[in-house]
Amino acid sequence: PLAAALLAACGSSGPDPEPVTPPVVSNEVPASAYASTQAYVGYAATLVSSESAEPLDVDKVVPPTSETDEPREI
């Protein structure tokens, strides 16, 4: 108890750390994923399987297409 009181009284000489903001969780595909086929594949590659997360809302998703890009694996 005494050590905790002494440590609490010392304080910090530096500035207060920035508060940590939790990431925004959304079940929508971000607009940046529609910029190109590469952006869409990159976004899809970051998705992880989860038993507890909300499902991705794909009702209005129209993936970008290209007549010149080579097909890529997801």
Side-chain angles (χ1 to χ4, degrees):
L2 179 60
L6 290 174
L7 286 174
C10 290
S12 172
S13 61
D16 290 337
E18 292 289 324
V20 176
T21 305
V24 176
V25 177
S26 174
N27 67 337
E28 295 180 5
V29 177
S32 61
Y34 297 110
S36 68
T37 55
Q38 291 178 344
Y40 190 81
V41 170
Y43 169 73
T46 65
L47 297 174
V48 294
S49 178
S50 173
E51 294 290 327
S52 60
E54 289 293 318
L56 189 63
D57 183 11
V58 294
D59 289 342
K60 298 174 186 164
V61 173
V62 179
T65 60
S66 172
E67 295 295 324
T68 58
D69 289 348
E70 290 292 320
R72 295 186 54 193
E73 287 187 30
I74 295 182

